[in-house]
């Protein structure tokens, strides 16, 4: 599969997998509201076709099908794409089949600990994902204030701050000059300022 075909096929697959999903708060279709912007960021900063494809697919296994979905991604798109998707998934249980994810804090601590050993290719995609999410959090907080936190599993702005500041710590250690990481540092700083100003 050629580079353009790989990215296009991944986008089509992601659009199908997430067809019924929407963004928290905005209700925007998940593909247009999150996956496409993340993929665009990866592509804009020199991402390989495999990284861009993984950006489209990064939530597919975690949100829809777990390990079986990851296996399907591997069969369709190859090891390089599937390995990045695996690296960005904090859970591979099949929630569509009724399986329950571990506690949020348990999952995030494990994800952060594992990140330190992940390859740069995965971290660059992770940075784009977290940049988009953190930017949405800051913008939504400016719009709706403390009501925002009720959308999250933890219901706590301080938990979100801990998570994103921990991510920044890992990413600035590993990819300090990557443009996406530099932007993420600024957005997470703004998030902390908003929480401090309450």
């Amino acid at each position: 599969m050629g580079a353009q075909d790989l990215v296009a096929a991944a986008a089509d697959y992601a659009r199908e997998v997430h067809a019924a999903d929407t963004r928290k708060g905005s209700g925007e279709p998940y593909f247009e509201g999150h996956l496409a912007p993340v993929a665009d960021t990866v592509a804009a900063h020199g991402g390989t076709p495999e990284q861009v494809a993984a950006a489209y697919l990064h939530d597919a296994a975690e949100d829809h099908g777990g390990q079986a979905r990851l296996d399907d991604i591997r069969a369709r798109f190859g090891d390089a794409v599937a390995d990045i998707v695996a690296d960005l998934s904090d859970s591979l249980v099949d929630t569509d089949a009724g399986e329950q994810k571990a506690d949020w804090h348990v999952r995030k601590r494990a994800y952060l600990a594992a990140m330190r050993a992940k390859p740069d290719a995965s971290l660059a995609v992770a940075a784009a994902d977290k940049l988009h999410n953190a930017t949405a959090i800051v913008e939504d907080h400016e719009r709706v204030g403390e009501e925002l936190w009720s959308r999250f599993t933890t219901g706590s702005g301080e938990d979100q701050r801990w998570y994103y500041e921990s991510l920044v710590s890992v990413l600035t250690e590993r990819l300090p000059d990557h443009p996406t990481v530099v932007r993420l540092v600024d957005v997470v700083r703004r998030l902390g300022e908003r929480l401090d100003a309450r």
Side-chain angles (χ1 to χ4, degrees):
M1 189 181 299
Q4 288 185 327
D5 291 340
L6 176 69
V7 170
D12 288 344
Y13 186 95
R15 189 180 284 107
E16 181 177 339
V17 168
H18 294 279
D21 297 342
T22 57
R23 286 288 277 175
K24 292 176 182 176
S26 71
E28 187 177 7
Y30 197 73
F31 181 87
E32 290 82 3
H34 180 60
L35 301 177
V38 171
D40 288 346
T41 296
V42 172
H45 295 296
T48 65
E50 289 77 14
Q51 286 176 296
V52 178
Y56 279 117
L57 299 167
H58 74 269
D59 281 331
E62 182 176 309
D63 291 350
H64 293 290
Q67 184 63 51
R69 176 70 66 187
L70 182 64
D71 292 343
D72 188 49
I73 289 170
R74 190 175 301 279
R76 291 170 182 262
F77 304 106
D79 289 339
V81 173
D83 287 348
I84 296 172
V85 173
D87 287 343
L88 269 66
S89 301
D90 71 16
S91 172
L92 287 173
V93 302
D94 187 356
T95 55
D96 289 343
E99 297 177 9
Q100 295 296 311
K101 291 183 179 181
D103 172 77
W104 185 88
H105 292 91
V106 171
R107 286 186 285 118
K108 297 310 180 187
R109 288 191 189 101
Y111 180 84
L112 288 164
M115 275 190 81
R116 296 188 181 278
K118 299 301 184 187
D120 289 357
S122 295
L123 294 182
V125 180
D129 172 34
K130 306 315 179 191
L131 173 63
H132 191 260
N133 284 336
T135 300
I137 289 171
V138 170
E139 291 175 350
D140 286 352
H141 192 264
E142 290 173 352
R143 187 164 54 252
V144 302
E146 293 298 288
E147 173 191 330
L148 168 69
W149 308 120
S150 65
R151 300 176 189 168
F152 294 91
T153 303
T154 65
S156 165
E158 289 305 321
D159 281 338
Q160 295 301 317
R161 173 191 225 162
W162 161 77
Y163 180 53
Y164 280 96
E165 288 182 350
S166 299
L167 286 163
V168 162
S169 177
V170 175
L171 290 167
T172 53
E173 179 182 314
R174 291 288 307 281
L175 299 176
D177 300 319
H178 195 288
T180 308
V181 175
V182 172
R183 289 171 59 197
L184 178 62
V185 169
D186 180 64
V187 172
V188 172
R189 176 188 56 77
R190 287 165 52 203
L191 174 60
E193 289 173 350
R194 291 199 65 81
L195 290 169
D196 288 340
R198 289 181 298 180

